[in-house]
Amino acid sequence: MTVIEPDHAASSPAAPFTAERRPSRAKTIIGWTIVAVLVLIVAMVGLRVAVTAPGARGALDPEARDDGGALALADILRDQGVEVDVRRSRAEALTAIDEDTTLVMANPYTLTDEALETLTAPAGRVVFLSTGTHLLNELGIGENATGTLPAAAPDCDVAEFARVGTIRADRLFTPADGVQACFGDAEGAAVLVDRRSTPERVVVEGTRLFGNAYLAENGNAALGLALLGQTDRVVWYVPSFADSDIEAEPVDTLGSLTPPWVTPAILLLIIAGIATAIWRGQRFGPLVAETLPVTVRASETMHGRARLTARAADAPHAGQALRDGTQRRLARRLGLAVHAGADEVADAASDRLRIPRGTLQALLAGPLPENDAALVDLARRLDELETAVDDSTHVDRSEPTTHPREAEGNT
């Protein structure tokens, strides 16, 4: 609640208020510095995680120790006397392969069909531990089948699978004509063996069969030995994008289309914006406890409104304020009610000044001024009207009163 009092009643000073002391500037700077350092650390960690390339040890990698790696299967083969030669270069793998070697690889999606044919031609056996639709079509060995098998036995004429036992495969294949289907039937089998040509080719989806986390389940380890332990030497090729022969046309990106200086400029602007925010940022201070009511001088509100009106350059509003003030003062001097209308005040002023009624209506209730010049003229005329009414009031009170007897004597 705010109380406005006239100037003569506003002799007491404004009520005091209390406020807590704001924290020092040094503490504020230290706080903002800590926040900025934390933000930069989080941004750097997020950027590092976002741009970090996948590890060199992928799924069914014979040197990977994670759940998806195949290090356990490679160690079992070595324990059985099988030499496991890991190659990550297509050229090196090609020089290490002969007709007495088993070539093992996951789905070689990084190689073209020509490169895959060149790589597999010298081998005696080729085992694909994982596959895709394109590889199935390229090999002509079968197609994808729907459904899964809870537990599947070999059920085929392949002698090396006779002692494997049962496995549980997540992916089945429908064999092509002349291809043996094992661990399933002709509608869907987990392993396809193609002996129609040289080299012999075997396809199996081994991600959840030969991974380190699943090798000890069911007959998975025995199946891995049956597939890869038929020769004394295994060349395990690990496909990667670094060894790819696929030549793709570069795609235009926003980074490639913009000049080289755009990215550093954007980073510089971001850093400048963060620095400016820290520099200009100010923590909200504590709330100020203020005792109410607060005494405000009437002259302060008057001057404040006047300054606002002058700043807004609102001549009509200022003219109306001048008229309202003149009207109230004239009504008080003429003995009228404070809220008397403009026409009533104008008629009473006309009677006091002994001028025809209707003369002052345009001054007190006419169009408002539209510019500063008209406002100054209106203020001057209103001041002249008030002065004239004051003068007429003083004249009326100062005139002598004639006694009736003196009037009779004079007659």
Side-chain angles (χ1 to χ4, degrees):
M1 180 177 64
T2 302
V3 179
I4 300 176
E5 297 182 358
D7 291 344
H8 63 272
S11 58
S12 61
F17 63 90
T18 60
E20 297 181 4
R21 185 179 181 183
R22 292 189 176 184
S24 63
R25 186 174 181 83
K27 293 182 179 180
T28 303
I29 294 175
I30 293 174
W32 277 107
T33 303
I34 294 174
V35 172
V37 171
L38 293 177
V39 171
L40 290 177
I41 292 175
V42 173
M44 291 177 64
V45 172
L47 184 63
R48 182 67 178 272
V49 173
V51 302
T52 300
R57 306 293 184 260
L60 297 178
D61 190 302
E63 296 178 343
R65 300 178 181 273
D66 56 0
D67 292 345
L71 178 62
L73 179 57
D75 289 343
I76 291 176
L77 290 174
R78 293 187 179 98
D79 293 341
Q80 298 299 318
V82 179
E83 179 185 355
V84 179
D85 187 4
V86 180
R87 300 287 181 169
R88 300 183 182 276
S89 170
R90 185 177 73 258
E92 294 178 357
L94 186 60
T95 59
I97 297 172
D98 56 35
E99 60 183 7
D100 296 327
T101 301
T102 298
L103 175 62
V104 184
M105 71 182 80
N107 182 20
Y109 56 88
T110 60
L111 301 180
T112 60
D113 298 341
E114 294 77 8
L116 178 62
E117 183 179 358
T118 302
L119 179 62
T120 59
R125 298 178 70 250
V126 181
V127 179
F128 295 96
L129 297 182
S130 63
T131 184
T133 303
H134 176 76
L135 180 61
L136 291 175
N137 296 333
E138 177 64 20
L139 298 177
I141 198 172
E143 299 177 351
N144 291 309
T146 59
T148 59
L149 295 175
D155 294 333
C156 63
D157 297 333
V158 180
E160 51 265 29
F161 295 155
R163 303 174 62 180
V164 170
T166 60
I167 63 170
R168 181 175 180 177
D170 291 334
R171 185 178 179 185
L172 304 179
F173 308 98
T174 300
D177 295 339
V179 177
Q180 289 182 308
C182 300
F183 299 94
D185 51 28
E187 299 297 329
V191 181
L192 299 182
V193 180
D194 183 9
R195 293 177 173 172
R196 295 174 299 178
S197 60
T198 303
E200 176 184 329
R201 297 172 297 180
V202 181
V203 171
V204 60
E205 184 57 51
T207 304
R208 296 183 62 86
L209 292 175
F210 307 131
N212 295 328
Y214 312 101
L215 190 62
E217 298 177 358
N218 302 318
N220 297 349
L223 177 60
L225 285 175
L227 289 174
L228 308 183
Q230 301 304 312
T231 58
D232 296 334
R233 187 164 178 270
V234 170
V235 175
W236 200 315
Y237 171 66
V238 182
S240 64
F241 286 106
D243 191 49
S244 176
D245 66 325
I246 299 176
E247 296 181 0
E249 295 182 359
V251 179
D252 292 335
T253 61
L254 182 61
S256 62
L257 294 177
T258 54
W261 56 266
V262 172
T263 300
I266 293 176
L267 294 177
L268 183 60
L269 290 176
I270 293 175
I271 294 174
I274 295 175
T276 304
I278 296 174
W279 170 50
R280 298 295 297 174
Q282 295 180 355
R283 187 176 67 86
F284 289 108
L287 297 177
V288 177
E290 185 173 339
T291 304
L292 296 178
V294 178
T295 302
V296 180
R297 296 177 182 273
S299 60
E300 293 181 4
T301 60
M302 179 187 69
H303 289 301
R305 292 178 181 177
R307 282 191 294 268
L308 290 176
T309 304
R311 184 179 302 175
D314 190 359
H317 185 271
Q320 185 61 46
L322 292 176
R323 280 182 173 175
D324 292 341
T326 299
Q327 183 176 328
R328 288 194 300 271
R329 289 188 293 272
L330 290 178
R332 184 171 61 253
R333 293 167 184 171
L334 297 173
L336 302 176
V338 178
H339 300 290
D343 292 338
E344 185 178 356
V345 173
D347 291 341
S350 299
D351 294 341
R352 175 60 60 87
L353 298 176
R354 296 182 177 87
I355 59 176
R357 287 193 174 188
T359 305
L360 301 177
Q361 267 73 7
L363 179 59
L364 296 178
L368 294 173
E370 298 294 337
N371 49 52
D372 292 344
L375 177 62
V376 172
D377 182 65
L378 176 63
R380 180 184 57 78
R381 295 172 59 191
L382 291 174
D383 182 66
E384 292 176 353
L385 175 60
E386 291 189 47
T387 302
V389 171
D390 288 342
D391 293 343
S392 64
T393 302
H394 295 325
V395 170
D396 290 344
R397 291 179 179 177
S398 61
E399 288 181 353
T401 303
T402 305
H403 196 273
R405 292 182 179 180
E406 295 179 355
E408 292 177 359
N410 293 332
T411 58

